[in-house]
Amino acid sequence: MPICSPSSDSSSSSGSGSRAWVLHGLVLGAAAAAAAAAYLYRRPSGFRSRAVGIIPARFASTRFEGKPLVHILGKPMIQRTWERVMLASSLDHVVVATDDERIAECCRGFGADVIMTSESCKNGSERCCEALKKLEKRYDIVVNIQGDEPLIEPEIIDGVVMALQRAPDAVFSTAVTSLKPEDAFDTNRVKCVVDNQGYAIYFSRGLIPFNKSGNVNPKYLYLLHLGISGFDSKFLKIYPELPPTPLQMEEDLEQLKVLENSYRMKVIKVDHDAHGVDAPEDVEKIEALMRARNIQ
């Protein structure tokens, strides 16, 4: 696959008893660490007004190495995503956060602001946190837009920002759309369930809710999580201090760490029929959709 040449136009009883006590101790230790981190967080007293969009991008990926630089109809995917993000009216600034000089050089080539981050960042949220600390200006909201969303609508970004502004009890906001039946058992498509007030209950790589028949219920509206997250900036700064949680590690979904530590997450439902690029075979699907929509 072609790598970046940017276009110029624009994740026995005693033995069992001992194990139980060890697990109990681990849980208590994690809880204490979480409580300490939570103590550091204070709900903002004023309106969250200033927002920055950060696009975390890394070259080394177990599922798709070099993904940000793969071409989508002639442009690097990271460029396609950046161009869409730049159209969001709610963002005061947009930057790409990366630990790879190849990605940085590519992004500078098409005019993006770049912040270099450490290779030790475990996920996109930690990369956004490091980038936030390096920014000269202060922001109330940080929107983490995955670099593999070349068709993300700017209106969704604006909606995620607005959701956090209108829900002062939430520290995190995100978006979902209807799940296509063919994606029901695809573990790359993260599913979500919400309560009747629009707050997240759970995220999973498996189908949720899962009924007794084990089949997809054609009458139920399953929700697909989109690759965008809004953080209260103060919360984002303590997020890396929260220890990994059991559900987070089992599902390999970083947003579960937020829920397992009892923070609230606002979810907006949107109409979005495109999805991110998770594997090489997704590139052709995205390109076909772009051709159908006459997107250059």
Side-chain angles (χ1 to χ4, degrees), residues 64-94:
F64 194 172
E65 187 176 46
K67 182 169 62 171
L69 302 183
V70 67
H71 277 206
I72 306 289
L73 292 185
K75 292 182 183 180
M77 181 163 56
I78 188 69
Q79 180 178 356
R80 293 257 177 214
T81 302
W82 177 82
E83 290 175 350
R84 302 293 290 177
V85 175
M86 289 295 289
L87 297 175
S89 62
S90 60
L91 300 179
D92 297 283
H93 190 37
V94 177

Side-chain angles (χ1 to χ4, degrees), residues 17-198:
S18 298
R19 286 193 295 272
W21 277 108
V22 169
L23 288 172
H24 182 64
L26 289 173
V27 170
L28 288 177
Y39 178 78
L40 296 175
Y41 173 75
R42 290 291 182 268
R43 183 181 298 175
S45 56
F47 182 73
R48 298 160 168 150
S49 59
R50 291 181 55 81
V52 59
I54 301 180
I55 307 172
R58 66 191 184 102
F59 192 92
S61 171
T62 55
R63 288 182 294 177
F64 194 172
E65 187 176 46
K67 182 169 62 171
L69 302 183
V70 67
H71 277 206
I72 306 289
L73 292 185
K75 292 182 183 180
M77 181 163 56
I78 188 69
Q79 180 178 356
R80 293 257 177 214
T81 302
W82 177 82
E83 290 175 350
R84 302 293 290 177
V85 175
M86 289 295 289
L87 297 175
S89 62
S90 60
L91 300 179
D92 297 283
H93 190 37
V94 177
V95 299
V96 175
T98 185
D99 60 3
D100 191 279
E101 191 55 46
R102 288 165 292 186
I103 295 176
E105 182 180 357
C106 176
C107 292
R108 295 186 189 107
F110 58 75
D113 287 338
V114 178
I115 293 181
M116 299 304 295
T117 55
S118 170
E119 294 182 1
S120 65
C121 294
K122 300 181 182 68
N123 50 53
S125 297
E126 290 194 8
R127 197 171 303 282
C128 285
C129 177
E130 182 178 334
L132 175 65
K133 293 176 180 178
K134 291 183 177 181
L135 288 171
E136 294 180 359
K137 295 184 179 180
R138 298 182 64 180
Y139 297 92
D140 306 304
I141 294 174
V142 178
V143 186
N144 173 353
I145 308 107
Q146 294 184 17
D148 57 7
E149 292 279 348
L151 292 181
I152 186 73
E153 283 97 345
E155 294 81 9
I156 294 178
I157 299 172
D158 293 337
V160 166
V161 171
M162 187 179 299
L164 207 50
Q165 290 174 333
R166 294 181 175 181
D169 58 338
V171 300
F172 189 108
S173 61
T174 192
V176 296
T177 192
S178 56
L179 178 73
K180 298 176 182 178
E182 61 266 30
D183 291 334
F185 299 105
D186 186 341
T187 56
N188 288 322
R189 305 288 177 250
V190 177
K191 295 79 176 177
C192 175
V193 287
V194 300
D195 65 18
N196 58 14
Q197 294 183 325

